[in-house]
Amino acid sequence: MALAGSPSHNPLFLLSLFNKHTHTNTMKFTTAIALLAIPAATAFAPTTPAFGVRTFTAPNQFDFTLDAKKSIEDLSDADLKGKKVLIRCDVNVPLDGKTITDDTRIRSSIPTIEYLKGKGAIVTVCSHLGRPKDGPEDKFSLAPCAERMGELLGQEVKLVNDCIGEEVKATVDAAKEGDVIMLENTRFYKEEEKNEAGFVEKLAAPFDMFVNDAFGTAHRAHASTEGVTKFLQPSVSGFLLAKELEYLDGAIENGKKPMAAIVGGSKVSSKITVLNALLDKCEKIIIGGGMVFTFLKAKGLGVGSSLVEDDYVDTAKEVLAKAEKLGKTILLPSDIVIADKFAADAETKIVSSDAIPDGWMGLDNGPASTAEQKEFLSDCQTVIMNGPMGVFEMKAFEKGTFGIVDILADLSKEKGAITIIGGGDSVAATELSGRAGDMSHISTGGGASLELLE
């Protein structure tokens, strides 16, 4: 979305922050809109925060404040009983046809919905799914999500075939206290992502109040996340959103030391801002995934046919120089699992990271790297992971990612360290490993986690 007076390439960043007034029992719910400049080394500078709170500066025309209570738990029974509540959840789950392959995001939304139901509210869920291009597409229907949510709640979740209009109003008006309704995919309308005023008003019209429990989309100023707050009061957070902010923001600002971050994934370009921010906060950084090879090239090493962002080699050099200047340690893998092609049946071998031959590509960390990571993290009290170490979706290249997941799970389980998993691929890998239950917190947000960490 392009904003007046701003470069069109700057995405809009929506971050919900809480500021507790200690002299009263009320809460001030502040929403700050900031322009995130990428790949600037410092996208924005936080002021000195109170516990778990970060404040950002943005152009005046893009700032607004919602005076509201902090969360649904701060509302009285009378505030909720019989009220028609629109709740923005994130049920953007992976599907194989019509089969949900990971229902984590749906399960994460249940506590807030159960709470609202228990207080006698009429609950209507809205969400997006996938990236529809030109209006409704059956493959992006929320029907499987409504069915799965109904199974988890033990009651019918009625899916309305639209998210605005007379059918929505009639369904909500006919519902009883404790009923749960789900609207069809909000992104079937292009006006959703444009936050178009007319669409926002129609979306909000049938409801009395709004709850945002979709951390995964809280950084986007869309109609169903930001627009409706202008029409529905109170607008408050749900349990999931509050928990995400508490863990992610609290860990960064006030986490126990030593603190480490694990940054993986394929591209330096998508992680450079968070890397710079984490260098300011953490004593130790582990870099993994495809972005490793841009850093190895920055150190003058050959990388064969591995993924490299040549435009970011100088940026990688700057990150390494910054770490040295700050006295921080960046750990790169010492050995690499390489392959002759990007395929599950590729020929593979393990080589030193400074000996990748031409025509071969690195697709995972080797065992020596995992052992070094275990020692590197052994004294850490707070560890944040965002991004995998390799192509864990292929069995031949899963050991590096599952190895680091095991290290974190053991740190949390055996030493009481705070371990936070953020980012879609990191969460998927942790769930696949069977160690999700040993982590302190599994974030439901991908881009939102990154931008909050920034």
Side-chain angles (χ1 to χ4, degrees), residues 94-384:
L95 293 168
D96 181 5
K98 292 288 186 179
T99 301
I100 296 171
T101 57
D102 181 358
D103 67 355
T104 299
R105 289 181 170 179
I106 298 175
R107 285 187 284 110
S108 297
S109 70
I110 296 300
T112 298
I113 295 171
E114 287 277 22
Y115 182 86
L116 292 169
K117 277 174 16 72
K119 295 295 183 180
I122 298 163
V123 183
T124 300
V125 176
C126 68
S127 180
H128 77 286
L129 176 65
R131 297 180 180 274
K133 293 180 180 178
D134 299 303
E137 296 181 56
D138 183 61
K139 67 179 179 179
F140 294 125
S141 171
L142 293 187
C145 303
E147 181 179 356
R148 180 58 182 145
M149 184 174 284
E151 293 170 353
L152 293 167
L153 290 170
Q155 69 180 78
E156 180 189 13
V157 173
K158 180 177 177 61
L159 179 70
V160 186
N161 293 321
D162 207 334
C163 62
I164 58 173
E166 288 302 317
E167 183 183 358
V168 174
K169 183 180 186 305
T171 303
V172 173
D173 287 347
K176 306 184 300 296
E177 292 181 5
D179 282 354
V180 180
I181 300 160
M182 184 176 290
L183 305 183
E184 189 52 280
N185 195 333
T186 55
R187 289 192 186 173
F188 283 171
Y189 289 88
K190 62 182 182 298
E191 293 87 350
E192 153 73 347
E193 293 181 90
K194 293 180 178 180
N195 203 1
E196 194 272 325
F199 176 78
V200 170
E201 189 168 4
K202 292 175 184 176
L203 181 62
F207 305 102
D208 301 316
M209 60 172 290
F210 175 65
V211 175
N212 190 348
D213 211 28
F215 177 69
T217 55
H219 62 311
R220 303 190 186 282
H222 292 172
S224 64
T225 58
E226 187 272 330
V228 293
T229 64
K230 297 171 183 175
F231 292 89
L232 298 175
Q233 293 294 329
S235 290
V236 299
S237 70
F239 295 131
L240 176 61
L241 182 58
K243 181 183 178 185
E244 293 276 14
L245 290 169
E246 175 188 354
Y247 266 96
L248 286 169
D249 201 45
I252 287 294
E253 295 299 334
N254 300 284
K256 292 182 180 180
K257 307 287 186 176
M259 183 185 297
I262 301 162
V263 183
S266 60
K267 294 183 177 181
V268 176
S269 55
S270 63
K271 301 287 178 80
I272 185 60
T273 311
V274 74
L275 259 176
N276 274 295
L278 289 170
L279 269 176
D280 292 329
K281 303 290 184 181
C282 300
E283 286 74 32
K284 301 179 178 184
I285 303 281
I286 290 174
I287 293 176
M291 61 193 299
V292 160
F293 304 103
T294 301
F295 278 88
L296 292 180
K297 188 167 183 178
K299 296 181 71 172
L301 300 176
V303 295
S305 58
S306 304
L307 175 67
V308 171
E309 289 182 283
D310 288 317
D311 291 346
Y312 282 85
V313 170
D314 286 342
T315 303
K317 290 179 181 178
E318 292 168 5
V319 170
L320 293 170
K322 178 179 178 178
E324 185 175 359
K325 181 178 179 181
L326 293 174
K328 307 294 180 72
T329 306
I330 292 180
L331 183 66
L332 293 166
S334 61
D335 64 340
I336 303 287
V337 179
I338 60 172
D340 62 348
K341 60 181 177 180
F342 188 86
D345 62 350
E347 182 183 346
T348 65
K349 54 186 176 181
I350 299 169
V351 300
S352 172
S353 59
D354 62 1
I356 301 173
D358 291 342
W360 290 71
M361 64 183 70
L363 296 178
D364 195 15
N365 287 348
S369 296
T370 301
E372 289 164 5
Q373 290 169 349
K374 184 174 182 178
E375 176 62 26
F376 188 67
L377 296 171
S378 61
D379 63 342
C380 290
Q381 294 296 305
T382 305
V383 186
I384 301 157

Side-chain angles (χ1 to χ4, degrees), residues 408-431:
L408 267 59
D410 290 343
L411 277 174
S412 190
K413 188 175 181 180
E414 298 171 8
K415 297 186 177 182
I418 298 298
T419 52
I420 300 171
I421 310 297
D425 286 341
S426 303
V427 173
T430 304
E431 295 282 355

